[in-house]
Amino acid sequence: MELTERFEWRGRQIAWGRAGAGPAVVFCHGTPFSSVLWQPFAEALSRDFTVYLWDMPGYGRSSKHAGHPVDFGAQADAFAALLAHWGLDRPPHVIAHDFGGAVSLRTHLILGVDYASLMLVDVVAIPPSGSPFFKFVQDHPDVLGQLPAYIHTAIVRAYIQGASHRGLRDDDLDALVRPWTGEDGQPAFYRQIAHYDERFLEENEEALGRVGIPVRILWGSCDAWIPTDIGRRLQGLIPTADLSLIDAAGHLVHHDAPVPLMDEIRAWLTPSESTM
């Protein structure tokens, strides 16, 4: 499934794609990833659903202009605008990973966009967040953006590899690293970390008690980036949420446990689809 469409929004180009027929399912990626992480799941679901993939501004195949903010607030505004552009006749099911959790929650809670349901997979959603690496980058974004390309690529490869509990194959790792290389990709990688603002997570946390749609939380039991305790605390803050752990999976559960993740997605969406 290719992202062949472009949505012009506030000087940005947002890359997106659509496939299949049936109730709408929208996937939201996180950082430092892109829609490629969800691509095989979207393709499998396209037999029964209309699936949408998109790259957030500053990520993947979307534009990466230095002057454009890429924080949670900007991404939520972009998501709301993209959903309006699609003109869906019914609220979509939204499935989000990592940073996409905070973006989808803000779009729903703060911007008032309705969903049929929300699945949150190892998400950044509530404080505290941010690794020591994040904090270092936030202190030195311009310097790191000027690193020799081979050193930068080695840093990004090591960083993303650490998100997997079982280890990534070279071709999978290459696909995740590729958008962050080159003249536009390297500075964009450090810029998206520099713009990371926990204030938006605090606003989300204060509003979580208002969530009234069905919410399913999935977490890799061996997530070294965001511990399972965060997932449990998030469940406690959302009145409609339940939580399941996926065994022997890290933050990149998509690669560590793709079959259990697909089973969870199918089980979540099918009852919802049959009642609509």
Side-chain angles (χ1 to χ4, degrees):
M1 179 176 171
E2 297 295 330
L3 273 58
T4 57
E5 304 292 333
R6 295 294 182 271
F7 173 51
E8 299 284 344
W9 177 76
R10 298 182 184 175
R12 302 156 175 82
Q13 278 200 347
I14 300 176
W16 66 276
R18 174 175 52 206
V25 178
V26 182
F27 290 89
C28 296
H29 67 81
T31 181
F33 311 110
S34 69
S35 61
V36 70
L37 205 57
W38 284 120
Q39 185 169 350
F41 300 90
E43 290 175 348
L45 286 173
S46 65
R47 295 190 299 266
D48 304 299
F49 299 88
T50 304
V51 294
Y52 292 82
L53 292 177
W54 66 296
D55 283 341
M56 295 185 194
Y59 292 77
R61 297 185 181 181
S62 292
S63 58
K64 300 180 175 70
H65 298 306
H68 293 159
V70 291
D71 56 49
F72 294 109
Q75 302 295 2
D77 288 345
F79 188 33
L82 187 58
L83 288 168
H85 172 69
W86 291 336
L88 305 179
D89 58 359
R90 289 183 290 185
H93 303 280
V94 175
I95 302 176
H97 175 247
D98 188 87
F99 186 113
V103 171
S104 58
L105 282 167
R106 182 175 181 83
T107 304
H108 177 61
L109 291 169
I110 307 301
L111 303 183
V113 176
D114 194 19
Y115 306 147
S117 71
L118 178 60
M119 175 176 276
L120 302 171
V121 183
D122 292 81
V123 291
V124 174
I126 54 177
S129 66
S131 66
F133 176 69
F134 257 55
K135 293 176 174 57
F136 180 80
V137 172
Q138 287 175 331
D139 290 338
H140 309 281
D142 296 330
V143 173
L144 291 170
Q146 297 174 32
L147 284 171
Y150 72 94
I151 295 177
H152 162 74
T153 300
I155 289 172
V156 178
R157 289 181 70 86
Y159 179 55
I160 292 178
Q161 184 70 265
S164 169
H165 176 64
R166 298 188 176 186
L168 298 171
R169 300 182 307 179
D170 284 344
D171 56 343
D172 292 329
L173 182 56
D174 289 344
L176 295 175
V177 170
R178 191 173 299 115
W180 301 118
T181 59
E183 184 177 343
D184 292 332
Q186 179 169 337
F189 176 79
Y190 299 107
R191 188 162 56 247
Q192 52 92 16
I193 297 176
H195 288 192
Y196 191 92
D197 188 345
E198 205 166 86
R199 168 177 56 92
F200 294 106
L201 302 185
E202 294 168 356
E203 292 179 3
N204 276 355
E205 184 175 21
E206 292 173 359
L208 288 176
R210 302 202 308 266
V211 174
I213 59 172
V215 176
R216 176 75 161 161
I217 302 172
L218 300 178
W219 223 269
S221 65
C222 302
D223 190 334
W225 280 18
I226 310 176
T228 55
D229 287 350
I230 296 292
R232 292 188 178 95
R233 189 159 71 86
L234 180 62
Q235 179 198 12
L237 292 168
I238 300 176
T240 59
D242 58 20
L243 167 69
S244 288
L245 301 183
I246 297 181
D247 291 337
H251 192 66
L252 284 178
V253 62
H254 316 69
H255 291 289
D256 289 344
V259 174
L261 176 56
M262 190 71 232
D263 288 346
E264 288 278 1
I265 292 172
R266 279 277 183 194
W268 176 248
L269 292 175
T270 302
S272 299
E273 186 270 339
S274 64
T275 60
M276 293 182 66

